[in-house]
Amino acid sequence: MNNKINAVYPKTEYTVLNQNIKRYISLLLEEFMNNQDSAVQPNFDYELNITYEKYQVGKYLSFAIKSEMSTGGAHPNHRIDTIIYDIEKQEIVNIESLMQENKMLLVFLSEESRKKLEQLGNFKQDEFEEKWFLEGTAPTSANFKNIAFTKEGIVVYFPRYQIAPYYKGEYKILLPIKIQ
């Protein structure tokens, strides 16, 4: 069994942000190692790849950290998690804290995401897929926890299985909103 880890992740000048990133990467590594320890396929080559996207606008620094973990299943496990950091306040921003500032944020994100995704099509081929799409874009904090602030607006990430079957992939949409 050959195991491979390829981890590329950010390090910044901000201690609180670095601690959060390090904690998250450590959890991914721990999960990967635990999967090897309970190997279903002992001769399978396990692989973990971690990459990231970085955005900065105004006082916000955002990272989308993506991982792909091959652990012997039918296909790799994919994850997307975002971290938004307020440079001025020196704190992590999440969907719950944003909702305190704007009570209608989830409704807005839900409605605008549905419009944008429906333009892409391919989501309502049958009742099962339509239900999946509607549940995955419902105005809940769990559905919109993976967002990033960019110069162009808010990027919303929908990981595999959130709004469609695995084979349709992950989705990343841009909602053109001015970020202050």
PDB file of all heavy atoms in Angstrom, residues 89 120 130 134 141 163:
ATOM      1  N   LYS A  89     -11.341  43.380  12.366  1.00  0.00           N
ATOM      2  CA  LYS A  89     -11.790  42.867  13.669  1.00  0.00           C
ATOM      3  C   LYS A  89     -10.936  41.700  14.157  1.00  0.00           C
ATOM      4  O   LYS A  89     -11.076  41.272  15.294  1.00  0.00           O
ATOM      5  CB  LYS A  89     -13.256  42.422  13.589  1.00  0.00           C
ATOM      6  CG  LYS A  89     -14.222  43.559  13.372  1.00  0.00           C
ATOM      7  CD  LYS A  89     -15.653  43.038  13.338  1.00  0.00           C
ATOM      8  CE  LYS A  89     -16.636  44.159  13.090  1.00  0.00           C
ATOM      9  NZ  LYS A  89     -18.017  43.649  12.971  1.00  0.00           N
ATOM     10  N   LEU A 120     -28.056  27.310 -15.429  1.00  0.00           N
ATOM     11  CA  LEU A 120     -27.147  26.253 -15.867  1.00  0.00           C
ATOM     12  C   LEU A 120     -27.903  25.012 -16.308  1.00  0.00           C
ATOM     13  O   LEU A 120     -27.393  24.213 -17.080  1.00  0.00           O
ATOM     14  CB  LEU A 120     -26.184  25.872 -14.728  1.00  0.00           C
ATOM     15  CG  LEU A 120     -25.276  26.970 -14.206  1.00  0.00           C
ATOM     16  CD1 LEU A 120     -24.513  26.488 -12.976  1.00  0.00           C
ATOM     17  CD2 LEU A 120     -24.317  27.439 -15.281  1.00  0.00           C
ATOM     18  N   GLU A 130     -35.240  17.101  -8.545  1.00  0.00           N
ATOM     19  CA  GLU A 130     -35.803  18.407  -8.209  1.00  0.00           C
ATOM     20  C   GLU A 130     -35.856  18.597  -6.693  1.00  0.00           C
ATOM     21  O   GLU A 130     -35.502  19.650  -6.171  1.00  0.00           O
ATOM     22  CB  GLU A 130     -37.197  18.570  -8.808  1.00  0.00           C
ATOM     23  CG  GLU A 130     -37.779  19.946  -8.519  1.00  0.00           C
ATOM     24  CD  GLU A 130     -39.072  20.225  -9.248  1.00  0.00           C
ATOM     25  OE1 GLU A 130     -39.601  19.336  -9.944  1.00  0.00           O
ATOM     26  OE2 GLU A 130     -39.558  21.363  -9.125  1.00  0.00           O
ATOM     27  N   LEU A 134     -33.931  21.493  -4.558  1.00  0.00           N
ATOM     28  CA  LEU A 134     -34.656  22.424  -3.689  1.00  0.00           C
ATOM     29  C   LEU A 134     -34.188  22.321  -2.239  1.00  0.00           C
ATOM     30  O   LEU A 134     -34.040  23.339  -1.554  1.00  0.00           O
ATOM     31  CB  LEU A 134     -36.162  22.185  -3.792  1.00  0.00           C
ATOM     32  CG  LEU A 134     -36.783  22.532  -5.150  1.00  0.00           C
ATOM     33  CD1 LEU A 134     -38.246  22.127  -5.192  1.00  0.00           C
ATOM     34  CD2 LEU A 134     -36.619  24.014  -5.465  1.00  0.00           C
ATOM     35  N   SER A 141     -28.601  27.737   7.118  1.00  0.00           N
ATOM     36  CA  SER A 141     -27.182  28.085   7.276  1.00  0.00           C
ATOM     37  C   SER A 141     -26.289  26.931   6.816  1.00  0.00           C
ATOM     38  O   SER A 141     -25.203  27.169   6.278  1.00  0.00           O
ATOM     39  CB  SER A 141     -26.876  28.494   8.712  1.00  0.00           C
ATOM     40  OG  SER A 141     -27.228  27.481   9.614  1.00  0.00           O
ATOM     41  N   ILE A 163     -26.670  19.505  -4.033  1.00  0.00           N
ATOM     42  CA  ILE A 163     -27.783  19.920  -4.888  1.00  0.00           C
ATOM     43  C   ILE A 163     -28.038  18.960  -6.045  1.00  0.00           C
ATOM     44  O   ILE A 163     -28.987  19.143  -6.796  1.00  0.00           O
ATOM     45  CB  ILE A 163     -27.572  21.351  -5.450  1.00  0.00           C
ATOM     46  CG1 ILE A 163     -26.293  21.442  -6.277  1.00  0.00           C
ATOM     47  CG2 ILE A 163     -27.576  22.367  -4.325  1.00  0.00           C
ATOM     48  CD1 ILE A 163     -26.112  22.761  -7.005  1.00  0.00           C
TER      49      ILE A 163
END
